[in-house]
Amino acid sequence: MNNEFPAYGDRRVPLPPPRQMSHDTLNRSATPARPETGGATATATMAPAAPAPDAATSGRPAPGTGSPAEPGGHANSHAQTGTRTGTKTDAKSDAKADAKAKPRDAFFDNAKYLAIVLVAMGHSWEPLRDGSRTAAALYITVYAFHMPAFIIISGYFSRSFDMRKDRLQRLITGVAVPYILFEVAYTLFKRWADHDPGYPISLTDPWYLTWFLLALFVWRLTTPLWKIVRWPVPLALSIAVLASLSPDIGDDMDLQRVLQFLPFFVIGLSLRPEHFKLVRRKKARILAVPVFAAALVFAYWAAPRMNAAWFYHRDAAQELAAPWWSGAVMTLAMFGCSLVLVACFFAWIPGRTMWCTALGAGTLYGYLLHGFLAKGSRFWDWYDNPWMHTPWGAVLLTLIAGTVVTLLCTPPIQRTFRWAMEPKMTWAFKKDPVDMARTRT
C-alpha cells in the first residue's frame, strides 16, 4: 500500500484541430492525452487488465469510482488527464471519461480481497496464540505482510493525487467521514458490549481498526511532497526508524503507526506497472513457495521468543521493553522481510477475473464491519469455549472468519452501508464555477 516518473514541459505531439462538437460530449480518444502536471505522467500504462463485469450486474462501482478509502481503492487508480480543444477541459468530465475508458484491474481486486480475508483470519487467531504455537506462527507470518500489502496498493493508486478540488472532496467523503463515523460507532459499541460506559470518544486517538483511515488521510495529503523529493523511499524509511526510537511521540493520531508504516505507502507511490509484472512471472511464483515455507518455519521458532507487538508498528522500542537501538534494527529487518513476503503474496495473486474479483471493490466494508464481530467475540467471551482451542476448532474458526468477511464485502452490504463509507455529500461543498457558468448558458 510515486512516481509514475514526473514529466514536465510542453506536449511533443502537435494538437489536432478542434472538432465541431460540444465540450461535454468530446470524445477523449479523438485527442492525445496531455501529461498531468501534478507529478504523475499519463504515459505509464496499467498492466493488462481483465475486462471487469458490468457494474450494474456485478455490484461493483463503475471503474474508477471506488472509494478512495478502500485499501487500494481505484478511485484514483489512473492519472486523470485533460485534453485541449481550444478551451480548458473540466476536471469532472475528465474523471468520468477515464472511468469509462479504464476498467478495474482484476489483479488488484483479487489481491485486496485475499488480503482482507487474511486480516480477518489473523484477528480470529489472536486469542489462540497462547495455547497454540502453530496459531502463533501463522499469526506472525500473516501480520508480517498483510497490512504492508494493503498499504502498498493504496500508495500505488494514490500516485495521481494532488490538491485538485474533486480529489480533495473524495478524500474527505471517502476517508475522513468514514473515519469519524466509525470511530464514534466503535466507541459506542465498546461502551455497550464491554460494559464501559465511560470510555471516551476521541477523534485524535483511533480505536482498533480506524487507525488505517486516519493514516491513509495523512499519507495521501503528503503525496505531492513525496513526488518532488529525490529519494522518497530512503527518506520515508529514515522517518520510520526515527519514530521507532521516539517513545515521546505518544498515541495522538496513532502517529507511530502512521510513521512506521509510511515507507510502504511511499513504495506504492514509486511503483510502476512493470514492477508488478516482474513479481508475477512464473519464476517468482515458484520461488515464493520455499520463501513462504521458510517464513513459517522461522515464525514457528520465533513465536515463543519474540514479542508480536513489533508487527503492529504502534510502539517505540523502549515501550516494548527493548533497548533503544533495537528499534532501528527491527524496523529495517521487518521492512525487508515484509517486502519479500509481499512480493511472494503478489506472485500468487491471479490476474484474471474470478468469482471473488467483484468483492475486491468492497474491502473497506469488510475491513471496518468485521471489527465489530472480532471485538465482540472477546467482549462476550466466545473464546472461553474449549472447542475453539482444539485443532479442528481453530480450523473451523478460520473458515468462519473468512466466510464472514467475504459476506461483508458483497454488493448487498455495500449498498446498505454506502451512506457511511462513500457518502456523496454534495451539499457540503461549493459548486464548481465552471459548472455553474455552463448551467447558466
Side-chain angles (χ1 to χ4, degrees):
M1 339 259 307
N2 181 42
N3 324 7
E4 293 186 279
F5 292 98
Y8 299 99
D10 296 331
R11 177 203 299 271
R12 296 180 182 272
V13 181
L15 292 170
R19 297 183 62 182
Q20 300 302 317
M21 56 195 304
S22 69
H23 175 75
D24 290 333
T25 59
L26 180 63
N27 186 348
R28 288 178 55 86
S29 62
T31 58
R34 172 172 57 86
E36 184 176 352
T37 58
T41 70
T43 57
T45 58
M46 290 294 298
D54 181 77
T57 58
S58 68
R60 290 195 295 165
T65 60
S67 166
E70 178 184 327
H74 288 228
N76 291 322
S77 62
H78 302 284
Q80 299 174 354
T81 58
T83 58
R84 293 180 182 272
T85 58
T87 59
K88 184 177 179 181
T89 301
D90 179 54
K92 187 179 296 183
S93 299
D94 286 346
K96 291 180 179 178
D98 279 346
K100 294 179 180 178
K102 303 291 182 67
R104 295 180 69 100
D105 191 325
F107 167 78
F108 292 104
D109 278 331
N110 293 336
K112 290 185 295 176
Y113 167 72
L114 293 175
I116 198 62
V117 168
L118 290 175
V119 169
M121 289 180 175
H123 289 155
S124 72
W125 297 333
E126 186 173 355
L128 305 178
R129 292 178 298 156
D130 291 339
S132 172
R133 190 170 178 178
T134 300
L138 289 170
Y139 182 85
I140 289 174
T141 304
V142 166
Y143 265 73
F145 74 89
H146 69 9
M147 285 312 297
F150 257 134
I151 295 167
I152 286 174
I153 295 175
S154 297
Y156 182 74
F157 287 109
S158 296
R159 294 170 300 159
S160 63
F161 180 83
D162 53 26
M163 296 301 176
R164 206 172 72 185
K165 178 178 179 289
D166 59 320
R167 289 172 180 162
L168 287 174
Q169 287 181 192
R170 284 200 299 270
L171 182 63
I172 293 171
T173 58
V175 180
V177 172
Y179 168 71
I180 294 171
L181 292 178
F182 276 86
E183 180 62 27
V184 173
Y186 269 124
T187 302
L188 296 178
F189 177 74
K190 178 174 172 57
R191 288 181 176 182
W192 168 69
D194 199 27
H195 307 290
D196 186 7
Y199 192 83
I201 295 176
S202 174
L203 297 182
T204 61
D205 186 13
W207 187 72
Y208 200 35
L209 300 178
T210 56
W211 73 266
F212 177 78
L213 292 177
L214 183 58
L216 182 59
F217 185 85
V218 175
W219 293 332
R220 199 162 275 176
L221 277 181
T222 63
T223 294
L225 300 178
W226 298 110
K227 291 179 181 179
I228 64 174
V229 298
R230 180 166 294 180
W231 300 291
V233 175
L235 177 59
L237 189 56
S238 300
I239 292 173
V241 169
L242 291 175
S244 70
L245 309 177
S246 308
D248 293 335
I249 287 180
D251 296 329
D252 288 346
M253 296 181 65
D254 223 344
L255 198 54
Q256 279 286 0
R257 270 177 168 158
V258 173
L259 298 179
Q260 291 192 36
F261 275 116
L262 175 64
F264 299 106
F265 183 81
V266 176
I267 283 179
L269 292 175
S270 305
L271 289 177
R272 293 175 290 170
E274 53 264 37
H275 295 137
F276 290 97
K277 292 181 181 179
L278 188 65
V279 300
R280 294 168 63 188
R281 296 183 304 172
K282 184 177 180 180
K283 289 183 179 179
R285 289 198 298 271
I286 295 173
L287 185 60
V289 175
V291 171
F292 261 123
L296 285 170
V297 171
F298 177 80
Y300 190 84
W301 172 85
R305 299 174 174 86
M306 181 180 179
N307 187 349
W310 284 105
F311 293 96
Y312 303 152
H313 296 282
R314 67 185 180 194
D315 299 298
Q318 296 93 322
E319 295 173 290
L320 298 176
W324 67 269
W325 53 265
S326 64
V329 174
M330 290 297 292
T331 299
L332 295 173
M334 290 193 301
F335 176 75
C337 292
S338 295
L339 279 187
V340 171
L341 292 178
V342 168
C344 293
F345 173 68
F346 286 154
W348 278 97
I349 298 299
R352 65 186 183 278
T353 300
M354 303 173 63
W355 66 269
C356 63
T357 303
L359 302 178
T363 50
L364 176 65
Y365 295 79
Y367 176 79
L368 289 175
L369 294 174
H370 92 278
F372 292 102
L373 288 175
K375 277 297 182 183
S377 65
R378 278 67 151 181
F379 295 154
W380 300 321
D381 301 321
W382 290 355
Y383 282 86
D384 288 348
N385 294 310
W387 70 267
M388 284 191 175
H389 298 270
T390 64
W392 287 111
V395 171
L396 181 59
L397 190 63
T398 302
L399 294 175
I400 291 174
T403 302
V404 168
V405 78
T406 296
L407 294 174
L408 293 176
C409 294
T410 55
I413 298 297
Q414 294 181 43
R415 290 192 293 268
T416 302
F417 290 95
R418 185 163 287 136
W419 63 272
M421 307 284 194
E422 304 173 69
K424 293 182 180 180
M425 295 181 60
T426 53
W427 54 268
F429 303 105
K430 294 181 180 178
K431 292 185 178 180
D432 192 324
V434 176
D435 287 341
M436 295 174 65
R438 185 180 296 116
T439 301
R440 294 193 189 100
T441 57

